[in-house]
């Protein structure tokens, strides 16, 4: 009986491993506050060669995010709005009405692991006032 149970357990484990999907990578932008982190933009998932390809995932994300945001320029125009305006609208849709002097950070995630920092930050600080992208005034 124990042998049968061990054999079934082994077969289930092999089936589970074989049923896992292809390796993948996610890229996203986050805004931080003293109390929370908000994902404000996510690119579509991409395939990578294996779940140990941190550099492959990281560099793919850096390239894609730089292309889509004009090197993390919040005042760059994309689809008739600034990058910052898209972010402010997303935050507003999640009931985050004000952001003041916050940088936007780029992260990547591989195969369901933790989010890891790419080393990219926005060129400017982000300021949002009820969904509107505003110029920041430092104090």
């Amino acid at each position: 009986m124990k042998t049968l149970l061990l054999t079934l357990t082994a077969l289930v484990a092999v089936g589970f491993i074989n049923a896992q999907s292809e390796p993948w990578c996610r890229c996203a932008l986050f805004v931080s506050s003293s109390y929370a982190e908000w994902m404000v933009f996510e690119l579509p998932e991409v395939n990578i060669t294996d779940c140990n390809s941190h550099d492959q995932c990281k560099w793919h994300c850096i390239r894609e995010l730089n292309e889509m945001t004009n090197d993390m320029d919040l005042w760059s125009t994309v689809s008739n709005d600034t990058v910052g305006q898209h972010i402010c609208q997303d935050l507003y849709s999640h009931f985050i009405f004000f952001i003041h002097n916050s940088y936007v950070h780029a992260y990547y995630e591989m195969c369901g692991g933790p989010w890891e920092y790419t080393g990219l930050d926005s060129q400017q600080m982000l300021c949002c006032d009820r969904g509107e992208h505003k110029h920041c005034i430092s104090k």
Side-chain angles (χ1 to χ4, degrees):
M1 184 67 171
K2 287 183 183 180
T3 305
L4 179 61
L5 184 57
L6 286 172
T7 304
L8 286 175
T9 303
L11 288 174
V12 168
V14 168
F16 176 75
I17 290 169
N18 288 336
Q20 290 180 336
S21 63
E22 294 294 316
W24 51 267
C25 171
R26 293 171 65 193
C27 313
L29 295 175
F30 287 81
V31 174
S32 304
S33 78
S34 301
Y35 307 104
E37 293 267 343
W38 296 286
M39 182 189 295
V40 294
F41 180 75
E42 182 175 9
L43 280 71
E45 282 183 11
V46 295
N47 291 326
I48 52 177
T49 54
D50 61 65
C51 288
N52 295 316
S53 301
H54 284 272
D55 285 342
Q56 183 183 29
C57 181
K58 178 181 177 178
W59 295 118
H60 174 77
C61 287
I62 288 172
R63 187 185 76 246
E64 291 294 314
L65 287 164
N66 278 334
E67 286 175 9
M68 295 182 77
T69 64
N70 193 26
D71 295 323
M72 300 290 285
D73 179 1
L74 298 180
W75 289 100
S76 182
T77 303
V78 177
S79 302
N80 299 323
D81 273 325
T82 65
V83 172
Q85 181 61 35
H86 286 285
I87 293 170
C88 289
Q89 287 173 340
D90 182 77
L91 289 166
Y92 189 78
S93 74
H94 292 95
F95 306 104
I96 300 155
F97 304 116
F98 300 98
I99 294 289
H100 183 66
N101 290 347
S102 295
Y103 284 98
V104 180
H105 311 286
Y107 288 84
Y108 67 96
E109 175 200 28
M110 287 183 20
C111 304
W115 285 99
E116 298 185 47
Y117 180 54
T118 63
L120 289 180
D121 295 312
S122 57
Q123 293 181 26
Q124 307 87 6
M125 289 186 278
L126 177 70
C127 288
C128 302
D129 182 351
R130 293 172 292 236
E132 295 295 318
H133 183 209
K134 304 285 185 179
H135 286 280
C136 294
I137 300 172
S138 311
K139 290 185 180 182

